[in-house]
Amino acid sequence: MAKPPLSIMGLVRDKRLEAHILALLREPKTLEDLHLQLQPLHPGLRKATLFALLVRLRREGRVLFCEGRFLAGEEEGADV
């Protein structure tokens, strides 16, 4: 029997991190600002890992990037 690629705890951790990110991005934030605010909740989070997650969320349309800042995506499909 093959092992799943990620453990259940890993998936829960990822979803919790995504929820924190989207909550913080109600207001536009730079990568550095977001990383500083997430450090107390996720002490092992590296800036590169956070950036990779933001890129994935942007591809999914859940995060926008404009003028050097990230913002939670909108349903109307704002121009980026």
Side-chain angles (χ1 to χ4, degrees):
M1 180 179 253
K3 276 171 69 172
L6 291 174
S7 69
I8 297 297
M9 290 306 293
L11 290 173
V12 169
R13 209 172 15 250
D14 288 348
K15 291 298 179 185
R16 186 176 299 152
L17 177 58
E18 283 181 25
H20 284 137
I21 290 171
L22 293 173
L24 289 172
L25 290 179
R26 290 182 187 145
E27 297 177 3
K29 299 202 182 309
T30 64
L31 178 65
E32 290 77 20
D33 292 340
L34 191 57
H35 187 253
L36 285 174
Q37 289 185 331
L38 288 169
Q39 274 305 115
L41 301 170
H42 303 277
L45 181 65
R46 294 186 353 226
K47 212 181 285 187
T49 304
L50 174 59
F51 183 74
L53 180 57
L54 288 166
V55 168
R56 182 176 59 81
L57 291 172
R58 181 175 180 261
R59 263 189 256 131
E60 293 173 0
R62 297 170 66 191
V63 169
L64 301 174
F65 181 75
C66 185
E67 298 177 5
R69 297 183 183 274
F70 293 93
L71 178 67
E74 297 179 16
E75 295 297 321
E76 294 115 16
D79 293 342
V80 178

